[in-house]
């Protein structure tokens, strides 16, 4: 019997999605036959609210919108990555998930020279089995921060 890895464990219960065929993917249902619906865990703050939701689930997949430090936060890249991951973790918990259930992460850095410092904090918070990740540098953050992170997890 082949050894189960985290990857095979996580993908075993996911429905197959047809690339390029959104209608077919949307029509799929879980094993029980009930149609899956999007669930929103919190409303976006503001008056009027921005045109996005902080957390949305579809089936057992959870999508977390980009999180940063928030306007006015002071601190170096280490403090900002720590605060940003804290904000991601808050969204995960609000939806019934956790950092160890994250499958995919996107990290946006204002300066790619912060890559090593970001990795030092990231390694402590997401290890020892890391999700897949893309890191992009040279991004201007709406809140003026040095980092923004979004992710996909499971519930």
């Amino acid at each position: 019997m082949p050894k189960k890895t985290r990857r095979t464990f996580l993908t075993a219960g996911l429905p197959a999605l047809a690339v390029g065929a959104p209608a077919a993917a949307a029509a799929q249902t879980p094993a029980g036959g009930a149609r899956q619906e999007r669930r929103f865990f919190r409303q976006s703050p503001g008056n009027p609210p921005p045109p996005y939701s902080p957390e949305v689930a579809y089936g057992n997949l959870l999508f977390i919108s980009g999180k940063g430090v928030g306007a006015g936060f002071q601190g170096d890249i280490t403090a900002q990555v720590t605060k940003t991951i804290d904000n991601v973790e808050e969204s995960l918990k609000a939806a019934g998930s956790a950092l160890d259930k994250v499958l995919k992460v996107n990290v946006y850095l204002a300066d790619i020279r912060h890559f090593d410092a970001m990795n030092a904090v990231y390694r402590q918070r997401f290890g020892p089995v890391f999700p897949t990740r893309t890191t992009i540098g040279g991004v201007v953050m709406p809140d003026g921060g040095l980092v923004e992170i979004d992710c996909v997890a499971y519930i």
Side-chain angles (χ1 to χ4, degrees):
M1 175 176 246
K3 180 181 173 186
K4 273 198 169 190
T5 64
R6 181 177 183 202
R7 182 180 177 102
T8 57
F9 169 75
L10 295 176
T11 59
L14 297 176
L17 296 178
V19 175
Q28 292 183 4
T29 58
R35 189 168 193 83
Q36 295 179 358
E37 295 183 17
R38 290 187 302 167
R39 291 174 288 160
F40 301 89
F41 295 94
R42 292 189 286 185
Q43 295 299 314
S44 298
N47 188 14
Y52 68 87
S53 296
E55 309 91 14
V56 175
Y58 183 80
N60 65 339
L61 290 177
L62 175 64
F63 302 86
I64 304 293
S65 294
K67 304 294 177 198
V69 294
F73 184 88
Q74 299 297 311
D76 64 2
I77 186 64
T78 300
Q80 290 202 23
V81 172
T82 299
K83 174 65 174 160
T84 300
I85 294 175
D86 288 347
N87 291 343
V88 169
E89 187 172 33
E90 178 185 324
S91 282
L92 290 165
K93 286 180 179 179
S97 192
L99 286 174
D100 64 347
K101 295 181 178 183
V102 173
L103 304 171
K104 171 72 173 124
V105 175
N106 292 314
V107 177
Y108 307 93
L109 295 171
D111 188 336
I112 198 64
R113 292 176 290 187
H114 292 144
F115 184 81
D116 290 337
M118 177 275 299
N119 256 347
V121 176
Y122 184 93
R123 186 179 318 276
Q124 293 172 353
R125 299 294 295 275
F126 281 99
V129 179
F130 299 105
T132 61
R133 185 181 84 190
T134 300
T135 303
I136 300 170
V139 180
V140 177
M141 308 305 162
D143 63 5
L146 301 174
V147 62
E148 184 169 307
I149 296 175
D150 67 55
C151 66
V152 177
Y154 66 96
I155 301 172

